[in-house]
């Protein structure tokens, strides 16, 4: 039916408008409500036709439900319209997907999952579609976040991308699936790198819209990787696209955190000199079994100058031994940062990746094998902050002569 074909095009344009953050929110909301009212009025006129075939009536209800469903809140009317459409024509694949989204808004995740599975079950030849697969990817890990569920979630996201390599949304959600795997299960650098690559690919897809959530999630990853300057840039981009995303607090947290670590490393006035000297004397000598050259914090300062063109470098064949003086934590995502003192009273910061928080405490002695050093550089206003930081990652650290336990990282707030 030509009239319904035209309405279907208008519904698709409406869905694009909802995700188009280049349009100011107030104007976008006005245009959205105008489009919804117009679509519903047209469908009402068509539905009044007593001779309308059942398959066309089902399609009309589905299109009306999809149009009303673009609004953020759960609607019983949407659920009823889509339910009636599916009863008349269970082969309306996208109606199942829209019904799943409706259940999702009502926090009924099991029903949402069944809808996405039915969208595949009732599709021609039972072939999966990219929308159902990526929705399944999200709902599976929402229902249960155990390793097997997260693995299945990632597989569904990959299947979605494979069906259409030019789909920006599928690439973005694949990036999210990799992040969930990283934070919940693997803590492997490969997963976090895969997430960043997927986000980048999402932006390269033809017709890709600016996605504030993508920038926010990427900022969170960069913050975790201590790429603070780039993280601030991405947080600002996210908020510029969607003012409802308040990045100001995140940027303030980063700024205060970096300034505090820098102060602890470069200014020893925060601890009494005699106290520092006494603690330094308790730092033990290295274990001969290490068969490595011992270095202290002054070595990192020298390396900072020699290797200043490199942001990260590994000191193979070396060992650094330091005692924890203090912890500087950020209420956001890891890593946890420790302030260490060496046997000569020198101070340096160390970021603890994939090391369980309960494994380390004040006054613990850390033996860091083959230290990886990262130069933290951050500019804020007219101030430029730069300091070396040791990256500590399981299993390259020994705590009080015992191996450290790997961490179970708490998942940060990804959008």
């Amino acid at each position: 039916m030509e009239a319904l074909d035209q309405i279907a095009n208008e519904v698709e344009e409406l869905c694009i408008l909802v995700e188009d953050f280049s349009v100011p929110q107030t104007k976008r909301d006005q245009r959205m409500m105008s489009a919804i009212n117009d679509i519903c009025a047209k469908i009402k006129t068509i539905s009044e036709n007593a001779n309308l075939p059942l398959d066309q009536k089902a399609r009309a209800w589905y299109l009306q439900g999809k149009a009303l469903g673009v609004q953020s809140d759960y609607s019983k009317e949407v659920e009823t319209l889509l339910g009636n459409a599916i009863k008349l024509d269970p082969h309306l694949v996208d109606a199942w997907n829209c019904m799943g989204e409706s259940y999702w808004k009502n926090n009924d995740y099991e029903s949402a999952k069944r809808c996405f599975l039915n969208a595949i079950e009732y599709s021609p030849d039972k072939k999966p579609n990219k929308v159902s697969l990526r929705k399944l990817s999200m709902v599976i890990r929402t229902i249960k976040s155990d390793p097997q569920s997260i693995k299945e979630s990632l597989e569904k996201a990959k299947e979605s991308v494979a069906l259409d390599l030019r789909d920006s949304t599928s690439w973005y959600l694949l990036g999210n699936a990799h992040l969930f795997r990283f934070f919940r299960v693997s803590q492997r650098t490969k997963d976090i790198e895969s997430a960043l690559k997927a986000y980048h690919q999402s932006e390269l897809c033809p017709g890709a819209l600016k996605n504030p959530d993508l920038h926010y999630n990427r900022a969170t990853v960069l913050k975790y990787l201590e790429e603070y300057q780039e993280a601030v840039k991405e947080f600002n981009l996210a908020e510029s696209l969607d003012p409802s995303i308040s990045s100001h607090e995140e940027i303030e947290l980063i700024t205060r955190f970096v300034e505090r670590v820098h102060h602890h490393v470069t200014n020893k006035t925060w601890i009494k000199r005699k106290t520092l000297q006494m603690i330094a004397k308790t730092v033990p000598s290295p274990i001969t079994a290490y068969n490595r050259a011992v270095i202290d914090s002054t070595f990192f300062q020298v390396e900072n100058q020699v290797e200043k063109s490199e942001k990260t470098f590994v000191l193979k064949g070396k060992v650094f031994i330091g005692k924890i003086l203090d912890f500087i934590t950020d209420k956001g995502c890891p890593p946890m940062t420790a302030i260490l003192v060496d046997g000569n009273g020198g101070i340096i910061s160390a970021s603890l990746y994939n090391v369980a928080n309960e494994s380390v405490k004040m006054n613990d002695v850390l033996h860091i094998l083959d230290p990886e050093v990262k130069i933290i550089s951050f500019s804020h206003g007219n101030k430029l902050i730069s300091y070396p930081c040791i990256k500590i990652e399981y299993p390259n650290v020994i705590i009080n002569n015992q191996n450290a336990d790997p961490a179970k990282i708490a998942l940060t707030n990804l959008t």
Side-chain angles (χ1 to χ4, degrees):
M1 187 176 185
E2 190 173 322
L4 284 178
D5 288 342
Q6 178 59 37
I7 291 173
N9 290 334
E10 292 175 11
V11 171
E12 290 306 311
E13 291 174 0
L14 171 62
C15 292
I16 293 173
L17 171 64
V18 172
E19 300 295 329
D20 189 358
F21 289 91
S22 65
V23 180
Q25 186 172 356
T26 301
K27 187 175 181 179
R28 190 167 71 246
D29 290 344
Q30 291 173 347
R31 287 172 57 184
M32 182 181 73
M33 292 310 302
S34 176
I36 290 173
N37 292 334
D38 185 48
I39 289 168
C40 289
K42 290 178 180 178
I43 290 177
K44 181 181 179 182
T45 300
I46 293 173
S47 300
E48 289 173 349
N49 181 359
N51 297 320
L52 188 68
L54 290 181
D55 63 329
Q56 298 300 310
K57 182 175 289 187
R59 190 182 182 203
W61 282 339
Y62 145 63
L63 290 173
Q64 185 176 0
K66 183 172 184 176
L68 289 168
V70 301
Q71 300 175 91
S72 58
D73 295 332
Y74 167 78
S75 167
K76 184 65 178 177
E77 181 184 5
V78 169
E79 188 177 317
T80 300
L81 285 164
L82 294 171
N84 290 338
I86 289 170
K87 287 177 183 177
L88 288 179
D89 186 359
H91 296 285
L92 282 171
V93 172
D94 196 43
W96 282 111
N97 287 330
C98 292
M99 179 72 108
E101 291 182 7
S102 179
Y103 280 127
W104 193 312
K105 290 176 183 177
N106 199 33
N107 300 322
D108 187 351
Y109 303 120
E110 290 289 354
S111 295
K113 181 181 178 180
R114 284 195 295 271
C115 286
F116 301 140
L117 289 171
N118 283 339
I120 297 173
E121 177 70 21
Y122 286 101
S123 63
D125 300 323
K126 297 185 179 181
K127 289 183 178 179
N129 63 87
K130 62 184 180 182
V131 176
S132 299
L133 286 171
R134 65 196 187 206
K135 295 293 184 183
L136 276 171
S137 171
M138 292 187 289
V139 77
I140 286 169
R141 64 174 181 257
T142 300
I143 293 172
K144 198 172 182 180
S145 59
D146 64 297
Q148 182 57 38
S149 296
I150 292 175
K151 179 182 177 182
E152 184 181 358
S153 168
L154 181 58
E155 288 172 351
K156 296 299 182 187
K158 288 180 178 179
E159 290 176 33
S160 176
V161 167
L163 289 175
D164 185 357
L165 296 175
R166 296 160 65 88
D167 189 290
S168 175
T169 301
S170 293
W171 278 108
Y172 163 65
L173 293 175
L174 174 60
N176 284 357
H178 276 294
L179 277 196
F180 271 80
R181 175 176 164 80
F182 173 79
F183 281 108
R184 291 288 196 188
V185 179
S186 73
Q187 287 92 55
R188 294 189 311 168
T189 305
K190 180 179 177 181
D191 277 315
I192 210 166
E193 289 174 349
S194 295
L196 292 175
K197 288 178 182 177
Y199 289 155
H200 180 65
Q201 192 62 44
S202 173
E203 293 177 301
L204 295 179
C205 289
L209 297 173
K210 296 292 185 181
N211 184 344
D213 291 339
L214 182 153
H215 290 290
Y216 188 92
N217 290 354
R218 182 155 56 196
T220 302
V221 174
L222 290 167
K223 177 183 174 184
Y224 175 83
L225 294 174
E226 298 178 281
E227 297 289 347
Y228 297 118
Q229 202 69 58
E230 288 299 312
V232 168
K233 177 183 175 182
E234 292 293 323
F235 277 129
N236 281 327
L237 271 172
E239 186 170 354
S240 69
L241 290 169
D242 184 1
S244 68
I245 296 177
S246 179
S247 297
H248 177 73
E249 182 179 355
E250 286 286 353
I251 294 171
E252 283 297 312
L253 283 172
I254 289 174
T255 303
R256 290 199 299 269
F257 176 79
V258 173
E259 287 179 342
R260 188 177 170 198
V261 175
H262 180 254
H263 172 77
H264 274 62
V265 171
T266 61
N267 190 333
K268 297 181 181 180
T269 57
W270 61 277
I271 186 170
K272 292 180 179 179
R273 180 182 296 180
K274 286 186 177 180
T275 301
L276 181 62
Q277 291 174 344
M278 288 177 61
I279 296 174
K281 289 179 180 179
T282 65
V283 176
S285 301
I287 300 173
T288 56
Y290 290 156
N291 196 27
R292 287 171 167 84
V294 181
I295 54 176
D296 60 20
S297 61
T298 59
F299 188 87
F300 296 111
Q301 301 298 339
V302 173
E303 289 293 321
N304 187 9
Q305 298 301 316
V306 174
E307 305 280 357
K308 62 183 178 181
S309 61
E310 299 292 334
K311 294 180 67 176
T312 305
F313 47 92
V314 179
L315 302 174
K316 286 287 187 180
K318 304 290 194 300
V319 58
F320 174 84
I321 303 174
K323 178 171 278 193
I324 298 177
L325 289 175
D326 198 4
F327 288 109
I328 299 180
T329 57
D330 178 359
K331 72 176 184 179
C333 64
M336 177 172 61
T337 297
I339 304 299
L340 308 178
V341 60
D342 60 34
N344 295 320
I347 295 177
I348 193 167
S349 67
S351 299
L352 284 77
Y353 287 83
N354 194 18
V355 176
N357 287 356
E358 60 270 18
S359 292
V360 290
K361 58 186 182 297
M362 291 287 290
N363 297 319
D364 275 349
V365 176
L366 306 186
H367 302 243
I368 306 164
L369 313 179
D370 303 325
E372 180 177 339
V373 184
K374 184 181 184 69
I375 306 304
I376 306 295
S377 296
F378 183 72
S379 62
H380 179 64
N382 296 323
K383 186 183 296 185
L384 175 62
I385 295 174
S386 180
Y387 58 89
C389 179
I390 305 175
K391 178 181 177 181
I392 301 177
E393 188 168 10
Y394 172 87
N396 282 1
V397 60
I398 295 173
I399 303 171
N400 297 333
N401 294 332
Q402 294 183 353
N403 291 329
D405 294 325
K408 296 299 182 184
I409 301 178
L411 184 64
T412 186
N413 293 325
L414 300 177
T415 58

